[in-house]
């Protein structure tokens, strides 16, 4: 069973904000028309974040994930019985959500490569 189990949250950039403000974008569906009407200088860059999400991970890798308390994992992770156990993951998908610029994706790919991982598809 493949599910989305987290990823990276990046503060909104001015480029992504302008893209989300364009007619027909998904910005109003995520953040609401009232927030989308604000200029970039007036928004909370962390509330209106960009996201890179993991997909295709085996179900159950993050059993404590809680949508009502997204920070709960920070306290629960070290208590998890398999915290120090390696979990073999031969591959996964990483998808951009909410207008992530190519430069940010490239920076993340380079970070994975510097850590010794191999990126095979982009």
């Amino acid at each position: 069973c493949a599910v989305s189990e987290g990823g990276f949250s990046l503060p909104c950039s001015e480029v992504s904000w302008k893209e989300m403000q364009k007619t027909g974008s998904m910005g109003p569906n995520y953040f609401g028309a009232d927030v989308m009407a604000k200029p970039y200088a007036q928004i909370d860059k962390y509330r209106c974040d960009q996201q890179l999400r993991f997909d295709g991970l085996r179900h159950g890798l993050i059993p404590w994930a809680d949508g009502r308390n997204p920070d709960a994992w920070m306290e629960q992770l070290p208590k998890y019985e398999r915290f120090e156990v390696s979990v073999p993951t031969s591959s996964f998908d990483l998808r951009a959500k909410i207008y992530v610029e190519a430069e940010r994706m490239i920076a993340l790919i380079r970070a994975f490569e510097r850590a010794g991982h191999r990126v095979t598809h982009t």
Side-chain angles (χ1 to χ4, degrees), residues 50-85:
Q50 297 172 287
Q51 298 176 11
L52 295 170
R53 307 290 296 180
F54 292 113
D55 276 337
L57 294 172
R58 291 192 331 238
H59 181 68
L61 290 181
I62 306 176
W64 55 85
D66 184 351
R68 297 164 296 167
N69 184 2
D71 293 333
W73 69 271
M74 289 184 255
E75 297 294 327
Q76 298 302 317
L77 181 60
K79 299 173 190 173
Y80 182 51
E81 64 190 35
R82 296 184 50 83
F83 179 63
E84 296 291 342
V85 176

Side-chain angles (χ1 to χ4, degrees), residues 16-103:
S16 69
W17 189 247
K18 288 180 180 179
E19 286 298 315
M20 288 189 288
Q21 287 181 315
K22 289 182 178 178
T23 302
S25 83
M26 293 298 292
N29 292 340
Y30 287 111
F31 303 117
D34 56 328
V35 173
M36 293 307 304
K38 293 181 181 182
Y40 177 74
Q42 294 179 6
I43 65 166
D44 178 340
K45 278 63 168 183
Y46 292 93
R47 182 178 170 275
C48 300
D49 62 337
Q50 297 172 287
Q51 298 176 11
L52 295 170
R53 307 290 296 180
F54 292 113
D55 276 337
L57 294 172
R58 291 192 331 238
H59 181 68
L61 290 181
I62 306 176
W64 55 85
D66 184 351
R68 297 164 296 167
N69 184 2
D71 293 333
W73 69 271
M74 289 184 255
E75 297 294 327
Q76 298 302 317
L77 181 60
K79 299 173 190 173
Y80 182 51
E81 64 190 35
R82 296 184 50 83
F83 179 63
E84 296 291 342
V85 176
S86 294
V87 177
T89 302
S90 60
S91 67
F92 62 87
D93 296 325
L94 188 65
R95 66 180 169 89
K97 180 178 178 184
I98 323 241
Y99 300 96
V100 178
E101 298 96 319
E103 292 84 1

Side-chain angles (χ1 to χ4, degrees), residues 8 52 94 103-119:
F8 302 92
L52 295 170
L94 188 65
E103 292 84 1
R104 287 182 160 196
M105 293 291 296
I106 292 167
L108 181 65
I109 289 168
R110 288 184 178 149
F112 279 134
E113 291 172 340
R114 281 192 304 274
H117 300 287
R118 194 169 55 130
V119 178

